[in-house]
Amino acid sequence: MGNKEPQGKLGVMIVGLGAVATTFITGVLRARKNLSNPIGSLTQYDKIRVTENGEEKYLGYKDIIPLSGLDDLVFGAWDIFSDNAFQSAIKAKVLHPEELKTVENELKSIHPMKAVFDNEYVSRLHGDNVKASSNRWDMANQIREDIRNFRKKTGVSRIVVLWTASTEKYLKPDLKIHGEIEFLENAMKADDRMNISPSMCYAYASIAEGCPFIMGAPNTALDIPAIWKFAEKMSVPVAGKDFKTGQTLVKSGLAPIIAMRCLGLSGWFSTNILGNRDGLVLDEPDNFKSKEISKLSTLETILDPKLQPNLYNDYCHEVKINFYPPRNDNKESWDNIDIFGWMGYPMQIKINFLCRDSILAAPLCLDLVLLIDAAQRAGKSGFQKFLGFFFKSPMYDYTKNEIPDNNLYTQYMSLRKTICEMGGYHLTDHC
Amino acid sequence: MGNKEPQGKLGVMIVGLGAVATTFITGVLRARKNLSNPIGSLTQYDKIRVTENGEEKYLGYKDIIPLSGLDDLVFGAWDIFSDNAFQSAIKAKVLHPEELKTVENELKSIHPMKAVFDNEYVSRLHGDNVKASSNRWDMANQIREDIRNFRKKTGVSRIVVLWTASTEKYLKPDLKIHGEIEFLENAMKADDRMNISPSMCYAYASIAEGCPFIMGAPNTALDIPAIWKFAEKMSVPVAGKDFKTGQTLVKSGLAPIIAMRCLGLSGWFSTNILGNRDGLVLDEPDNFKSKEISKLSTLETILDPKLQPNLYNDYCHEVKINFYPPRNDNKESWDNIDIFGWMGYPMQIKINFLCRDSILAAPLCLDLVLLIDAAQRAGKSGFQKFLGFFFKSPMYDYTKNEIPDNNLYTQYMSLRKTICEMGGYHLTDHC
Amino acid sequence: MGNKEPQGKLGVMIVGLGAVATTFITGVLRARKNLSNPIGSLTQYDKIRVTENGEEKYLGYKDIIPLSGLDDLVFGAWDIFSDNAFQSAIKAKVLHPEELKTVENELKSIHPMKAVFDNEYVSRLHGDNVKASSNRWDMANQIREDIRNFRKKTGVSRIVVLWTASTEKYLKPDLKIHGEIEFLENAMKADDRMNISPSMCYAYASIAEGCPFIMGAPNTALDIPAIWKFAEKMSVPVAGKDFKTGQTLVKSGLAPIIAMRCLGLSGWFSTNILGNRDGLVLDEPDNFKSKEISKLSTLETILDPKLQPNLYNDYCHEVKINFYPPRNDNKESWDNIDIFGWMGYPMQIKINFLCRDSILAAPLCLDLVLLIDAAQRAGKSGFQKFLGFFFKSPMYDYTKNEIPDNNLYTQYMSLRKTICEMGGYHLTDHC
Amino acid sequence: MGNKEPQGKLGVMIVGLGAVATTFITGVLRARKNLSNPIGSLTQYDKIRVTENGEEKYLGYKDIIPLSGLDDLVFGAWDIFSDNAFQSAIKAKVLHPEELKTVENELKSIHPMKAVFDNEYVSRLHGDNVKASSNRWDMANQIREDIRNFRKKTGVSRIVVLWTASTEKYLKPDLKIHGEIEFLENAMKADDRMNISPSMCYAYASIAEGCPFIMGAPNTALDIPAIWKFAEKMSVPVAGKDFKTGQTLVKSGLAPIIAMRCLGLSGWFSTNILGNRDGLVLDEPDNFKSKEISKLSTLETILDPKLQPNLYNDYCHEVKINFYPPRNDNKESWDNIDIFGWMGYPMQIKINFLCRDSILAAPLCLDLVLLIDAAQRAGKSGFQKFLGFFFKSPMYDYTKNEIPDNNLYTQYMSLRKTICEMGGYHLTDHC
């Protein structure tokens, strides 16, 4: 409804041409050739039961709202390393080299532009494909120019900017700096490096150019009123933060079981081993803090001590991430959950998830790019709650005492309801 | 709304005074004395967000519909062993003896009536507290008389009959025998032991006496049109089957995560070790078959190959139960789940649930007894879909191509929606 | 000492050209080309600390006793399917196709001879590359002829016969039939199919031709005095049974920890999922019985109730194998171990082994072939206790109340001591 | 042989009257009354096969060497908290209160003497049962006086001092301070707090009084030549360090399986959750370092990269300990082990050990006390290698390039061989 049909190509400009980005791109390129399936993508697979003319039927998302097709995507990227997408994908060791070779030429044609970067925010990485810049405002302007050049060069009609780069060190939002657009712009111009992260420059630049921005890492770039207001003013939707992939995906699905059954919780211990660049960056305590805050928040609103003080008071929730090189991208999580039931008797659940970071993140990239573009065409702007399903830390307005929804099931319902509304359909699923 | 306030005491007549029943009773008795909490019970803990006079608030179930209180319950039982509830609880080794001693007198006063029993249906158990009976019709009549006597003796105003006894060998429903009330009655009178299980006699007798019946085991006693029609005719609600406690509880909560994320499934292997009487009975292949059919059905409607042939075609789903005496009632499950994602890459999830059979089942007993009684007072009859949340194999009308709902989340929504409807409230939860 | 240097080539005739055999062969062929390493092989990697002229040093097995080199092996095979080794390896899905292609020609040149087979013993497999035979004696004679032809055709100087084919249904040894050579020969001639398995025919034929025989499956072909006596008479060493690969390998290493620490055991539950042909065959209860007996025996002599009645009395030991096709050859085991310590307090150990059947079996094939050949050259005959390290059910003379050694560590010491003795060295390792 | 019969009572003076100590004492007291069994104790259960007069038989340790009986032990303690043993045991929540009550009087009679303590070494604990002292030399002298008083008061003929107190922060041995007795004494007199830990004062005092000293924590008090020389000079045996209880026990038993099978290792990730006082202390990085160094050393000598560079080069070994209060003393470990086999194919082993810290440590206390006393009577002095079986970091002379033995099996052999030698028997076990 009011959702305009996509015209022309859709540019996807990715910050960070690493494991996630190259896996996403390769999967799209191979799907175009029918060489592999974009499994895990809701825009490509999920079906919604709707009623049309009194008849029940299942429709895919594309049948409900106009979405760009896989053939319509045109990729660009920034990275602090100069490897092209093929070289980067080989080094990432996520996908079999034979599979990469089937789209070798396409991948090799994607050369990353120089990135804006500040080693203070990601101390473990040292790349040389970095722009010189005089201050944060200059950083943002250079990115804006990159976006305009990309648009010109490729002829795409719309662009989405997607952050798949590293976790920055924790930057706590401060309303005096991040509360209003002018405050933010002033701090950028004053080169306030303490309070302006490079990812904020990308977000600002993207919105300034009218491009939706997606934050896949736990960086707080989008978690500030200045950005929300700017996005609304520019009619740009934004979404974040931190792709919900492995452990937190399962946690946000399992915790509701405990809550629904009114079982008590005394502790939840979560540990992770991973060996990719993400693991290397998070081995630094400052950067881990961003991730930890994001991961810990999951349980709070599902197992709520205020609502159920006899069940969820004072439970111990620990999240650890360990850099363990033998695993590369094949991260693994182990959870121990201590619950109690009837008459207080204790029980335990252990979950061991042998997953793959980029394999789980890639379909989220595709879905978020397609859906945020559709949202923009449908006239939506500011942060998009209906996309919370895809994130560890869904956005919410903390200045208004809003409570974030971390329950995977209600997130899913919210996503589908919004899609139906955008398409003018009525969701008739079970609940 | 039309839901009558409960008057007088509520009789709870339990078939099988074993581990589950004595844990349920002990927990209720101790809760009355504020010695322990009925954790895991939705009627005692869960809260629903409703809007009243434009104001949002959270209400417990008791605030929405009239429910009997814990003080109103009066317990009776049948069992093939003559141990009283205290002796049986000690032997079950579920609860600490010191806890049992705090309600020793109350437990000792519960002596099981003689049960109707057929060794052909439960070959591993040999009890001597068994009624002599000439045929299945006589069995049902003797139970009816027990119910009438219990009502007279205790003065309860209403009675619910709850099956917590053993799993019988698999009895496949046959519409020629189980399709109509008369067929069923004729088969009982003709003593058709092949097609009439003892549990059917309990269900029939219970309904005939106007008492709701709950089937906690995977027995098919309630899965037949004759019983549905009889229940409707007698204005009696029934609910089953097979309490959703350990592994299947987690499975019905975890499988939707896979489905919601459009990840593929190639296999799900589930094994269990348990050492209680349940484990002993299920060590017999004929009896295990009842359980297996019940447990296997869980995934079919959540991960549906017809709706998603590329994701859920031909997956291998295996469920095993192993009798392992060292564990007693502390059953444990181990699941290995083989999923695949983007471009078909495989991943694995393992779940190890160290649970307690009776601890998980007891709060379901309490909730089902209170809710089915409320349903009867609200005028409901026949099988109750809204109670499917509590069962591994929720009832549905398979003669009309209905599809059962196995998704824990939609079951939960359905439960709460019905409770709100019964109470005249509008559910305003997230979705 | 007295161990003759190997002269000429060593023929390796393998019964069953399936996953294990083709993985073994491929690994040897690739190692010859320096394309991969024969990891897991003691003959290629293990070192023994010895003292020579007062000086301590570490020697490989090849430096202690004369062993054939990888270049000296010449492969032949029997199978009920006519696929050559390349085709079979591709179907087995154990090794990456690219790796197989590097030795494609060599693999393609290995065509299996027709096998002798009896569907009664392996009911789940149906192959057509099977010899016609009039009786068991004729079966053995045809195999003998195959061996003689192979020797002639290839010019090898010595031959070892290695069973890597399927598990047969359980055949309980009966001294009246299997106690003496003549009894056995008579039963073969009388075509006593009940008591003479096809694998016995292979073992008999192999010994008759002077070739050592290795039983990699749990078949009882070698567990009979008739074969031991025949082997001694013919100066042929034999070894078995049942390669110790995944779960039992860990079990035979972990159980001694419990024993050494004098901790008690109340139960050990072992389950397995595997999807290869082995899993298919063992899905048949008759065949599983052979495996179960073999696997259950492991604990008996390590955690001995006679020696430690307070610690190891009446523990529950269960072993399950489940056919689970999604896994192919990548079998996985899960063990739950219930132990108790100081004052009887219970503790639990869980082990989850994600292993690969053929990857673990292949180096055992190599070691057994090389070591049994060396043993023969050193003048050893009959069953070889020092090779017990490699087997789930090491051979022992049950007619003389011998006790088998299942402890991995003492097996390892025994292996190394014998090798040192054969080589004239004195083992100076720690103990 | 030459091992003198024990005369009189044996005093056991324990530093740290916490969970381990009270569990040890309670188990001994209850065993005296036949109320529970000292399971896990080799001195009470293990049997050795010996040959006497040409006959094989199994003998317990007590039949081979003279050992004090459980009735001969007299307990004393120091602690920074003034709780008596009963109060401390109740707070530790290791044993059921009903069990403690059966020896309540005996436990209540054990009042801890004031401890010497330095908050710099254990920053998370704050006790007030602490001696005032002017310097380290004074500390040692006060402890010596306590020992002499205890001897006088109780009339015991011999005393062993056992450290079960907290892990101190890491103190790296420095030969200039810890290399000679005089250096050490001078540093104590000079009150060199940086280089003299409180546990060194206990060790020094104990040896000065002629009492064997056992270090159950990872403190380096015994890991210095000054102490070795002093112990030899005073004819006192000492043993340490760090009781081998949960994860490391399994690790030191499992790693040899990998080594014996010549499988490769790419990584071993070990994590732990525990909630007792030990967990609290180790939550401090300085203290964890002591533990980490101790735990990491286990693999080095079992999976030796110098001996097997193709198998054990550059593997990643991580050990984590997490303070997780819901677990109290019931610590739990999770290990992920990445191995590789034939042709380099990877496999994984996961171990989840639900253990109990004090239940595993208590029998080690008993065995070490009895065996070190026997060693002293047999004339042994200095550090005792044969007791390495009980420790995570067995002692060895690192100034002489000795290599520690971490292999549980060879440690076990060494223990039993020494016991046989002390008793004049010849060990005839398998290897």
Side-chain angles (χ1 to χ4, degrees), chain B residues 11-15 17 25 74-78 110-113 150:
Chain B
V12 182
M13 297 187 74
I14 308 176
V15 192
L17 187 60
I25 296 170
V74 179
F75 297 101
W78 294 270
I110 302 173
H111 294 277
M113 294 172 279
F150 183 81

Side-chain angles (χ1 to χ4, degrees), chain D residues 166-180:
Chain D
S166 293
T167 298
E168 296 171 327
K169 75 171 180 184
Y170 185 60
L171 191 166
K172 194 175 160 52
D174 174 349
L175 292 187
K176 277 175 279 177
I177 291 151
H178 306 111
E180 298 293 338

Side-chain angles (χ1 to χ4, degrees), chain A residues 132-299:
Chain A
S133 62
S134 47
N135 57 44
R136 295 301 200 232
W137 184 249
D138 179 37
M139 276 188 177
N141 279 329
Q142 292 194 51
I143 298 163
R144 293 185 62 173
E145 204 180 326
D146 285 344
I147 295 174
R148 289 193 299 266
N149 287 340
F150 183 81
R151 194 191 303 265
K152 215 175 300 168
K153 203 182 67 183
T154 60
V156 296
S157 68
R158 294 152 355 263
I159 289 173
V160 171
V161 178
L162 169 72
W163 180 282
T164 65
S166 293
T167 298
E168 296 171 327
K169 74 170 179 183
Y170 185 61
L171 190 167
K172 194 174 160 53
D174 174 350
L175 293 185
K176 277 175 280 178
I177 291 150
H178 306 111
E180 299 293 339
I181 304 176
E182 312 83 80
F183 300 174
L184 185 74
E185 290 174 341
N186 289 338
M188 291 169 76
K189 286 168 185 165
D191 203 26
D192 179 353
R193 300 185 184 193
M194 279 273 291
N195 288 298
I196 306 293
S197 62
S199 66
M200 279 183 192
C201 300
Y202 279 100
Y204 181 90
S206 176
I207 297 167
E209 293 298 322
C211 304
F213 187 85
I214 297 159
M215 175 46 75
N219 306 335
T220 49
L222 296 182
D223 291 352
I224 55 178
I227 286 287
W228 308 339
K229 292 169 184 170
F230 191 40
E232 278 161 24
K233 182 176 151 193
M234 302 298 293
S235 301
V236 170
V238 297
K241 71 177 188 287
D242 207 5
F243 294 140
K244 181 147 67 183
T245 48
Q247 185 175 56
T248 308
L249 170 62
V250 171
K251 186 178 281 186
S252 71
L254 194 77
I257 304 179
I258 297 169
M260 287 188 287
R261 274 293 170 98
C262 297
L263 296 165
L265 183 76
S266 57
W268 192 312
F269 175 78
S270 297
T271 195
N272 292 273
I273 49 179
L274 79 166
N276 57 12
R277 197 183 288 168
D278 201 24
L280 176 63
V281 168
L282 295 173
D283 204 34
E284 178 66 38
D286 276 354
N287 298 69
F288 174 65
K289 199 183 168 189
S290 297
K291 192 61 138 191
E292 188 182 27
I293 287 172
S294 172
K295 287 181 79 103
L296 283 174
S297 66
T298 306
L299 292 185

